[in-house]
Amino acid sequence: MDGRRVVLGVGGGIAAYKVADLLRKLTEVGHDVTVVPTESALKFVGAPTWAALSHHPVASDVWTDADDVPHVQLGRQAELVVVAPATADLVARAAHGLADDLLTNTLLTARCPVLFVPAMHTEMWEHAATAENVAALRRRGAIVLEPATGRLTGTDTGKGRLPEPTEIAQLAELLLRRPDALPGDLRGRHMVVSAGGTREALDPVRFLGNASSGKQGYALAIVAAARGARVTLVAANVDLPDPSGADVVRVTSTADLREAVHKAAEDADVVVMAAAVADFRPSGYADHKIKKSDAGAPPIVLEENPDVLAELVAGRRPDQVLVGFAAETGDARGSVLDHGRAKLARKGCDLLVVNAVGAGKAFGQADNAAVILGTDGTEQAVPLGPKALLAAAVWDAAASRLLS
Ligand code: CTP
């Protein structure tokens, strides 16, 4: 993607140091990023760091280079403004339309999507004043993420951490490609996503598994949370940081995944089965490491696993939307799409996301292309792009099928 103009507003919180990494991620893919720190942000990370990483001069006030009228130009030219960390003070100033430094002026002149990434202590986040300020910003169309839960500045833990820079970068990239991709349309809804690949143990150290990285499922969880949903992410053997705003249930085998998905699905509005679930498991488990012997290679006898998606379809509530994924290669009997259409009919879910795999496609990659098939005959092609872009298209399709 061509470089786009991004303003990165940095608030005065300890998480400012993590935003240096976010800045790197945005510039590495070619975006032209101007950093606008508040004066207090500069107490945490100095102007030379922002200037060196962004290759642009850095100012906090409206008086520097006043002949360029930066407080108007920056906002007008921006295609995206990201505010991270959005401190309680910054959220309050933005919500009230104050314009007492370069960043708050920029927020008033910008007409592009604005993504606030709050980070503060739990008490400050939960305070009624902050809650009202966040609600005001959301009402006006700004995207305000939920903070992550975990270790805070001191020894305390709670809600208030800055989400991981990779997560923020994914959402920023999504908004640059689709400014309308994060409406708050899933607020009050419960979305369940399975991700990764299940492993079936042969002995204490060996398993049968597959190459799913979990990236697509994680992108689905990140995008759903950013659209306001409560998200349960059932993650099978995924080596990625927990998305903020998602309850992550870690599982290993198909049996574990099945139990976790059914439990989460009870009150779910949508279940997306993005996990690569093993169809078969070894029928026996050796409780010791299988040794080489003169008898040669031991045979592996397999038995069938339950089809979790089929079980969800069989036990569904009428208002629940069920989404399957089909990773296909195509063969002599039909193309990737032929197999996808047959699978949708066979599985009975509402939507099936069909993508081609093999030869370096989809598995483990940052990008994905797919066709979203609907039982109503709709077929929406999503061209190759970041997995968050496909995730947004899946949520659009699922949300349009939810009863209001
Ligand atoms: N799935 C599931 N439980 C299984 C296998 C698959 O819930 N035991 C789900 C996957 O998460 C996915 C969908 O079913 O959403 C399709 O998976 P896939 O393996 O492509 O389907 P299969 O019916 O196993 O078809 P195939 O013969 O092509 O493997």
Side-chain angles (χ1 to χ4, degrees):
M1 187 186 195
D2 291 339
R4 308 283 293 272
R5 281 177 186 267
V6 179
V7 168
L8 179 56
V10 186
I14 184 67
Y17 81 92
K18 292 191 191 166
V19 175
D21 186 23
L22 171 64
L23 171 58
R24 268 216 99 108
K25 288 186 168 28
L26 294 172
T27 54
E28 269 167 9
V29 291
H31 298 314
D32 180 5
V33 187
T34 303
V35 181
V36 185
T38 62
E39 208 177 297
S40 48
L42 295 177
K43 291 193 194 295
F44 290 98
V45 180
T49 302
W50 303 119
L53 290 174
S54 68
H55 307 293
H56 283 298
V58 166
S60 294
D61 59 64
V62 294
W63 315 117
T64 310
D65 298 322
D67 52 326
D68 287 338
V69 202
H71 72 287
V72 178
Q73 294 307 335
L74 276 174
R76 274 195 189 153
Q77 292 169 358
E79 294 170 87
L80 173 69
V81 179
V82 180
V83 181
T87 58
D89 176 68
L90 195 45
V91 165
R93 287 193 290 138
H96 288 82
L98 300 190
D100 50 1
D101 62 6
L102 184 55
L103 179 53
T104 44
N105 273 273
T106 303
L107 288 170
L108 288 182
T109 50
R111 293 295 175 268
C112 58
V114 181
L115 175 65
F116 286 91
V117 192
M120 62 193 78
H121 259 77
T122 314
E123 294 85 344
M124 298 172 90
W125 174 253
E126 287 175 349
H127 195 283
T130 306
E132 280 174 27
N133 290 332
V134 167
L137 290 172
R138 284 180 177 155
R139 256 196 323 275
R140 283 186 224 138
I143 299 134
V144 186
L145 299 187
E146 293 290 310
T149 301
R151 179 93 187 263
L152 300 172
T153 323
T155 51
D156 45 349
T157 59
K159 191 165 182 175
R161 273 171 69 88
L162 190 83
E164 292 298 321
T166 47
E167 192 176 322
I168 307 169
Q170 276 185 64
L171 292 171
E173 196 61 43
L174 173 62
L175 287 170
L176 283 166
R177 290 168 192 251
R178 259 198 63 182
D180 67 338
L182 299 177
D185 59 339
L186 303 183
R187 217 165 289 291
R189 303 283 193 177
H190 181 203
M191 305 288 141
V192 175
V193 178
S194 70
T198 57
R199 290 179 182 174
E200 306 296 337
L202 282 159
D203 71 15
V205 294
R206 301 187 181 92
F207 57 83
L208 299 178
N210 62 69
S212 175
S213 65
K215 284 181 185 163
Q216 184 61 64
Y218 271 52
L220 280 155
I222 289 168
V223 173
R227 283 167 80 145
R230 174 162 77 85
V231 180
T232 304
L233 176 61
V234 179
N237 311 298
V238 181
D239 188 18
L240 294 169
D242 288 355
S244 58
D247 282 332
V248 182
V249 186
R250 293 198 175 269
V251 297
T252 305
S253 66
T254 300
D256 305 337
L257 176 136
R258 178 182 183 224
E259 191 185 326
V261 167
H262 282 308
K263 185 159 176 265
E266 278 169 21
D267 69 345
D269 295 288
V270 181
V271 183
V272 182
M273 288 294 294
V277 183
D279 288 330
F280 303 100
R281 66 177 181 277
S283 54
Y285 172 75
D287 54 12
H288 55 273
K289 190 178 166 206
I290 299 166
K291 292 291 199 190
K292 269 189 283 195
S293 81
D294 293 340
I300 297 176
V301 180
L302 300 174
E303 61 190 32
E304 205 159 332
N305 271 330
D307 186 322
V308 182
L309 182 56
E311 290 177 345
L312 289 169
V313 169
R316 71 189 305 165
R317 297 192 321 269
D319 59 339
Q320 201 169 49
V321 176
L322 300 173
V323 185
F325 264 69
E328 303 287 345
T329 58
D331 57 24
R333 288 179 296 130
S335 68
V336 166
L337 261 189
D338 294 335
H339 284 294
R341 290 184 191 113
K343 193 169 284 182
L344 177 63
R346 200 167 65 239
K347 293 266 182 181
C349 48
D350 302 283
L351 297 163
L352 190 74
V353 185
V354 184
N355 58 344
V357 290
K361 286 187 198 144
F363 275 162
Q365 306 292 313
D367 288 355
N368 206 353
V371 181
I372 304 172
L373 306 179
T375 36
D376 47 6
T378 51
E379 298 198 354
Q380 188 201 344
V382 182
L384 188 68
K387 288 185 171 174
L389 203 61
L390 175 57
V394 170
W395 292 125
D396 289 344
S400 72
R401 283 160 176 82
L402 282 170
L403 304 177
S404 47

